[in-house]
Amino acid sequence: MFEKLADILDSKFSTPMAKLAEQRHLRAVRDGIVATLPLIIVSSMFMVIAFLPNSLPAEWGFTQFIMENQFKILLPYRMSMYIMTLYAVFGIGFSLSRSYDLDGLSGGILSELAFLLTIIPKMSPAVTEGITKLAENNQELADFVAQVPAGLVIPMPNLGSAGMFIGILAAFFAVEVYRLTQTSGFKISMPPQVPASVARSFESLTPAAIILLVVATITMFLDIDVHGIVAKIVTPLVHASDTLPSAIVIVFLTTFFWSFGIHGASIVGSLVRPVWLILLDENIQAFADKTMIPNIAAEPFYQWFVWIGGAGSALGLAILLVFMAKSKYLKTLGRTAIVPAIFNINEPIIFGLPIVLNPTLIIPFNLVPLVSLVISWFATKLGLVNPVVSSPAWTLPGPIGAFLATGTDWRAIILSIVLIFVSVVGYYPFVKIYDRQLLKEEAGQDITAE
């Protein structure tokens, strides 16, 4: 029965969704955003360090040092994750260009050009003669005036998550213009003797001119606020993704695809990761400003409170295999899989048990993460645990990752341990049933061997 169901789901649902995830534009978005993850992970650690005083005694010299240098400690974050769209756009343009067999470097640069043309520089207000005279008799005002930047200033917020969707559209537009000029021959071609790098530069002249004229006309000459327009369209989507029903759908689809051997995190993540990044960035901004953290369901929330041990909350399952299983196969698999599961790598369990097409274990594999989700959601909603404000490396053990992701909230460690216990309890009866089945099979094999 399960094989027939798998065939139906594979042909009618799973395969089309897998193809959708591999569509070149969606794949480019996934590649571009994933390429920024090292920046996000490393820079978020600066955020954790900068706000360590929140959980340390105020009289410590270390605490006082951090407080005095908090602005400088946050600067690496400001120049990395805070403007992550600037980096992601290049990756999206590069990946999309390569999918068309075009020069990835040219595609990335053209994408950056299109995106930056949507960011309108602003002229800093000039210091008037009256203010200058006042500053002569007021040292505090004089110090402030000295720090006011002169000339054009680029507003930074839209270089970050607030500009993500415009960045994606700008990269698509730039690369499609680049592709059109290449396929139509509407370009400047150089003789074969010219070095390839120089020839590519001249081939990019035409698309660069088109992009400059079109985007600058829209944003600078016609004064159309494309960021404001897209924000009005996208804001409901972002808010909708930070609800319990949306989170339930995301978790269920992820485990559902895994149940049939399809990488659920890859399919679901490629569609919702841009929204996750916006939610996380809003949380980080609120944390830095010491205001109420607005969102629950940023990506680290799933990583540290739902996928403990990997998809399916597999750490609890691995613990059962090591300490409760009696069959030789499950005991051996448990010893092999427990260490990877501690570091959130669960492929040995998914394909070793296997979870895939296993009618006994598919049930808890889909249900346990949903229970963990509901518990952690209400724990966060009720203020029992801080919302996530950073993105630690996903291979950290669950309690440590949860502690860092919540801005060093020790209560997150307790919640993580509770959720591991919940996964143990949830998997226990099903593992017992499966273990008995394997014991009977092993006993039958032993009798046959004799």
Side-chain angles (χ1 to χ4, degrees):
M1 182 182 75
F2 260 83
E3 289 183 3
K4 290 182 179 179
L5 177 60
D7 291 339
I8 294 171
L9 291 172
D10 185 59
S11 60
K12 301 295 185 182
F13 189 67
S14 300
T15 300
M17 287 298 292
K19 288 181 178 178
L20 176 64
E22 289 303 311
Q23 197 275 336
R24 70 173 78 236
H25 293 84
L26 290 178
R27 189 172 68 241
V29 172
R30 181 190 65 201
D31 293 346
I33 292 177
V34 167
T36 67
L37 288 182
L39 305 180
I40 294 171
I41 291 171
V42 175
S43 65
S44 65
M45 290 299 100
F46 283 90
M47 176 71 69
V48 171
I49 293 169
F51 291 96
L52 273 176
N54 293 347
S55 54
L56 294 176
E59 63 273 11
W60 284 10
F62 179 68
T63 303
Q64 294 169 9
F65 172 81
I66 292 178
M67 290 296 293
E68 292 169 1
N69 295 276
Q70 193 175 65
F71 175 78
K72 290 182 179 179
I73 294 172
L74 284 172
L75 282 178
Y77 156 74
R78 297 288 185 188
M79 299 309 298
S80 49
M81 184 177 174
Y82 187 73
I83 55 172
M84 63 182 171
T85 297
L86 191 63
Y87 301 103
V89 165
F90 182 88
I92 294 169
F94 183 93
S95 176
L96 186 56
S97 297
R98 292 292 293 271
S99 75
Y100 284 127
D101 292 324
L102 299 172
D103 179 53
L105 188 59
S106 297
I109 291 173
L110 291 171
S111 297
E112 291 283 20
L113 170 66
F115 174 59
L116 287 173
L117 285 170
T118 68
I119 311 291
I120 311 300
K122 298 184 182 298
M123 182 66 73
S124 296
V127 179
T128 63
E129 186 177 344
I131 293 177
T132 304
K133 287 182 179 180
L134 289 173
E136 292 175 356
N137 302 316
N138 188 321
Q139 188 57 46
E140 187 177 353
L141 179 59
D143 292 340
F144 174 79
V145 170
Q147 294 178 22
V148 174
L152 291 171
V153 178
I154 295 180
M156 291 185 70
N158 284 334
L159 295 175
S161 64
M164 179 62 73
F165 284 95
I166 282 291
I168 292 170
L169 295 175
F172 288 172
F173 172 72
V175 173
E176 292 300 336
V177 169
Y178 180 31
R179 180 177 71 90
L180 181 63
T181 58
Q182 294 295 305
T183 56
S184 66
F186 186 52
K187 61 181 179 177
I188 299 174
S189 300
M190 302 299 289
Q193 297 83 359
V194 175
S197 58
V198 177
R200 285 196 297 269
S201 297
F202 276 89
E203 288 177 353
S204 298
L205 282 173
T206 304
I210 295 172
I211 293 166
L212 269 166
L213 287 171
V214 172
V215 182
T217 298
I218 293 171
T219 61
M220 298 176 181
F221 306 140
L222 297 179
D223 249 353
I224 297 175
D225 181 10
V226 292
H227 285 275
I229 294 171
V230 171
K232 289 180 181 178
I233 298 171
V234 171
T235 297
L237 172 64
V238 174
H239 290 321
S241 67
D242 191 43
T243 61
L244 184 57
S246 294
I248 288 172
V249 171
I250 288 170
V251 170
F252 174 74
L253 287 178
T254 302
T255 53
F256 174 80
F257 283 123
W258 269 121
S259 301
F260 296 92
I262 299 166
H263 200 301
S266 177
I267 293 176
V268 176
S270 64
L271 298 175
V272 300
R273 186 159 285 114
V275 176
W276 279 342
L277 282 176
I278 292 173
L279 295 175
L280 178 60
D281 191 56
E282 288 178 354
N283 282 8
I284 291 174
Q285 294 301 322
F287 189 59
D289 297 336
K290 298 182 180 179
T291 58
M292 188 179 71
I293 300 170
N295 305 311
I296 295 177
E299 186 172 14
F301 170 79
Y302 296 93
Q303 176 63 56
W304 301 114
F305 297 123
V306 180
W307 309 132
I308 304 174
S313 305
L315 182 55
L317 175 56
I319 291 171
L320 285 171
L321 297 183
V322 173
F323 296 105
M324 301 296 295
K326 296 180 180 179
S327 64
K328 294 177 183 178
Y329 180 75
L330 289 188
K331 273 190 170 295
T332 302
L333 178 63
R335 295 190 191 102
T336 304
I338 184 66
V339 174
I342 290 172
F343 297 98
N344 303 307
I345 300 168
N346 69 339
E347 279 79 0
I349 288 178
I350 286 180
F351 297 105
L353 272 175
I355 293 290
V356 176
L357 296 178
N358 186 320
T360 304
L361 295 178
I362 276 181
I363 298 171
F365 184 78
N366 283 271
L367 290 181
V368 169
L370 292 174
V371 175
S372 297
L373 168 68
V374 173
I375 293 172
S376 52
W377 181 279
F378 283 106
T380 308
K381 190 78 173 176
L382 296 173
L384 302 178
V385 175
N386 290 344
V388 293
V389 293
S390 70
S391 183
W394 64 271
T395 49
L396 287 172
I400 296 174
F403 174 71
L404 295 175
T406 53
T408 66
D409 182 1
W410 60 269
R411 298 172 300 177
I413 298 175
I414 297 174
L415 177 59
S416 180
I417 294 171
V418 168
L419 294 173
I420 293 170
F421 177 75
V422 167
S423 69
V424 170
V425 173
Y427 274 108
Y428 178 78
F430 299 92
V431 170
K432 289 292 288 183
I433 294 171
Y434 191 53
D435 191 37
R436 287 178 192 146
Q437 294 172 358
L438 292 183
L439 277 172
K440 290 180 181 178
E441 292 178 8
E442 290 173 357
Q445 289 172 0
D446 292 340
I447 292 171
T448 304
E450 292 173 2

